[in-house]
Every structure is written in structure tokens, then in C-alpha cells.
Amino acid sequence: MLLMVGLGNPGPQYEGNRHNIGFMAVDEIARALSFGPWSKKFHGEIAEGVIEGRKVILLKPLTFMNDSGRSVQAAAAFYKIPPADILVFHDELDLPPGKVRVKLGGGHGGHNGLRSIDAHLGKDYRRVRLGIGHPGSKERVNPHVLGDFAKVDRDWLEPLLDEIARHAGPLVKGEDAVFMNRLSLATGGSQEPTGAKGAAPQPAAKGQSHIRQARTGGKPALPATGPMAGMLKKLFGGD
């Protein structure tokens, strides 16, 4: 059994906050993968389902961020789930918006939700770090994380959440590198990390047509002979 935890703050006033991207991720997993209904338990809300043949419990703590560990510990104790089988989705200031990294253990980096979980369970659980970007100065951090995503952010946020749910299988199987690789490719990022076992290959760059080359700037390389040569030279001003 795997416990997937999304971190956030409860209540409609926080729904669109950057700090609530963890809630958003598990909500989309529950919706896209047809989990059961949410019910209140363990100082939070839980939903049950199956991914890749493995039972998964989704948890959204309703204790507010600073006390998330109390909810996670209660659920883990009831289901007898060790920290190694706990996966926490959370916002990450130190990653650009839309970037995702998965890691096992480590520090909390000032994140109060992780700090609380560390205090209750230790550090040996997996974290899915969802980049929200840094506002640039320490004084602007709180307004940034507790502010709503801007409308323009939806251009990357909604596809990212869709792809997290779509590629949840590798996460459940412990194939974190594969998950990151597929997610990066699916959302238009670079292939990271390279060499992940089972990762989809990087698509080969497509050649541009002569007309597209002309539209995107620079003089295209025109064929010297053949049925298209004369027409293309007239069209693009070739000698």
C-alpha cells in the first residue's frame, strides 16, 4: 500500500494558492484515475484507489500546513505504512514554475509542511517537489506562496497536473527517474534526467520546409536541380 499526500491549506480562500499545488496534484490523480469519493478521516480527507495494481491512499491534511505531520502520522499508523511508502506532493520555491523533481529524504528547506512531517515521521519519505518559482527576495516569499496562481500560470499548471496523473504509474512503482523524464517530455521540457530506464526517447528534431525556413528568418537553402528548383528560386528570390 502507498500513501500519497498532497500538502495545502483547507478552505476556499486558499484553493488557488501556490502553496496548495500539492492538494491540486492529488485532486487531479483522484479525478483522472477514478478513485473513490473523498471522506474525512485522520484529520484530513482521504480517497482510495488502485494504480498499477497497487492500492493507493490519497490524503489531504486539513490541519493547516504547519501541522500536516499529525494527519500523515495518523493515516500511516492506521494502515501500517512505513515512511518509505509515503509520497508527499508539495510546492517548491527553489524550482522554476512547472519543474518537478522527486527525491527521498533530505531537509525541509523551510517548508513548514515538510518540517511537521519530519517531526512526526522522520525524513525517510519521498517528496515530489513541484516548482512554483522564487519571487526574488525573502520579504516576498509569504505573499508569493500564499498568493493565487495568476491566469497566465494556467498555461503550464493545468497541463502539468494532467501529466502528473497520467504518469503516476512510475511513481507507484518507485521509478522516479522515469516519472521525471516522461513528465518533462510531456510538458515540453528538456529530457531530464537522461538515461532513465524505460523512459520515452527524445523526439528527433523535425526538418523545416523551405517555406517555413523563409518565414522564420534567414535565406533558405534551395535545391539546385529538380522539378521544384525553378519555382522556389522565383518564390524566394534565388539567383
Side-chain angles (χ1 to χ4, degrees), residues 98-139:
K99 290 292 184 182
V100 178
R101 295 291 181 271
V102 185
K103 64 179 292 189
L104 172 64
H108 54 70
H111 193 290
N112 287 331
L114 298 181
R115 190 197 308 270
S116 177
I117 296 172
D118 288 355
H120 284 82
L121 294 172
K123 300 180 178 182
D124 296 329
Y125 56 91
R126 291 157 65 207
R127 306 111 188 271
V128 182
R129 305 163 64 212
L130 307 174
I132 61 168
H134 198 287
S137 66
K138 185 177 180 180
E139 294 75 20

Side-chain angles (χ1 to χ4, degrees), residues 22-136:
F23 272 14
M24 297 174 192
V26 295
D27 276 336
E28 182 57 24
I29 290 172
R31 186 201 65 80
L33 301 182
S34 301
F35 272 58
W38 291 96
S39 61
K40 290 189 177 181
K41 202 171 184 180
F42 312 120
H43 316 293
E45 291 184 340
I46 67 167
E48 299 184 10
V50 176
I51 302 176
E52 294 288 339
R54 187 176 184 184
K55 186 174 181 179
V56 175
I57 307 295
L58 300 179
L59 171 66
K60 294 187 294 182
L62 299 181
T63 51
F64 286 92
M65 187 70 79
N66 293 5
D67 199 18
S68 299
R70 181 159 57 97
S71 175
V72 179
Q73 183 184 48
F78 180 85
Y79 292 110
K80 297 180 173 60
I81 299 175
D85 289 327
I86 297 175
L87 189 64
V88 178
F89 293 85
H90 67 91
D91 57 300
E92 177 57 69
L93 283 166
D94 292 333
L95 288 176
K99 290 292 184 182
V100 178
R101 295 291 181 271
V102 185
K103 64 179 292 189
L104 172 64
H108 54 70
H111 193 290
N112 287 331
L114 298 181
R115 190 197 308 270
S116 177
I117 296 172
D118 288 355
H120 284 82
L121 294 172
K123 300 180 178 182
D124 296 329
Y125 56 91
R126 291 157 65 207
R127 306 111 188 271
V128 182
R129 305 163 64 212
L130 307 174
I132 61 168
H134 198 287

Side-chain angles (χ1 to χ4, degrees), residues 53 72 77 106 121 145 170 182 197 204 216:
V72 179
L121 294 172
V145 299
R182 291 181 180 174
K197 183 179 179 182
T216 54

Side-chain angles (χ1 to χ4, degrees), residues 1 13 21 77 92 104 107 109 123 146 159 162 177 188 220 225 228 233:
M1 188 180 298
Q13 68 269 40
I21 194 172
E92 177 57 69
L104 172 64
K123 300 180 178 182
L146 295 177
D162 289 343
T225 60
M228 293 290 289
K233 286 180 180 179

